[in-house]
Amino acid sequence: MYAENQYEEFEKRMVETYPKMFAEPYGGFAVGPGWWTVIESLCSQIQHHIDWKNKQSEVVAQVTVNQIKEKFGGLRFYYSGGDDAIDGMVRMAEAWAACSCETCGAPGERRNGGWIRTLCDTHETERKERVAG
Ligand SMILES: [Zn+2]
């Protein structure tokens, strides 16, 4: 797994790099570290798109993040603002997370069980061992 301070560093970096996106309460990054890269890329693309589109005048509403979480093994990214292009970016990121291990980011797939997760073979085996005790 990962150390507590890694999460804090990640969150601090995101909030400092994308202050407009994380201006409202959003409840933290409630997903495993394997998806942090996906979220970081998504936020980078979104802010770049907004800044580029709004060079002359504001045509795209600034995106603010409302909630980021895992649901049924998939990434859920809830936000306000944006446009159709940003909606497509979010769907793409969710599709990327759907085939990436939530723990380590390696290629993964949806695993059924008590709690549906998206995991690579290694972390699925680990989870099964933990469950079996
Ligand atoms: Zn993994």
Side-chain angles (χ1 to χ4, degrees):
M1 285 306 284
Y2 61 101
E4 188 68 26
N5 66 331
Q6 272 179 281
Y7 174 82
E8 282 165 14
E9 275 171 30
F10 170 69
E11 182 167 43
K12 185 169 180 280
R13 185 170 77 241
M14 291 299 289
V15 171
E16 284 176 359
T17 311
Y18 308 105
K20 292 177 193 166
M21 292 185 67
F22 296 100
E24 304 287 332
Y26 63 97
F29 298 86
V31 300
W35 288 354
W36 294 354
T37 309
V38 178
I39 294 166
E40 194 160 10
S41 298
L42 175 62
C43 291
S44 165
Q45 296 299 320
I46 288 175
Q47 195 58 56
H48 186 266
H49 175 76
I50 293 169
D51 293 344
W52 173 66
K53 280 281 193 178
N54 292 357
K55 244 180 206 160
Q56 309 297 334
S57 61
E58 191 180 319
V59 291
V60 181
Q62 174 62 45
V63 165
T64 50
V65 176
N66 301 130
Q67 196 183 11
I68 296 171
K69 65 172 186 177
E70 175 274 339
K71 191 177 181 185
F72 304 126
L75 172 67
R76 295 290 185 276
F77 187 93
Y78 300 108
Y79 65 99
S80 307
D83 61 4
D84 285 351
I86 287 169
D87 192 48
M89 291 174 193
V90 171
R91 282 164 202 281
M92 191 64 156
E94 289 175 347
W96 177 10
C99 55
S100 303
C101 175
E102 191 183 345
T103 301
C104 73
E109 58 186 78
R110 231 170 85 124
R111 316 285 183 165
N112 293 315
W115 179 9
I116 301 165
R117 306 294 305 269
T118 299
L119 296 169
C120 65
D121 291 340
T122 306
H123 287 111
E124 170 64 359
T125 304
E126 265 183 27
R127 178 173 78 150
K128 279 184 176 154
E129 283 169 1
R130 260 203 312 275
V131 172

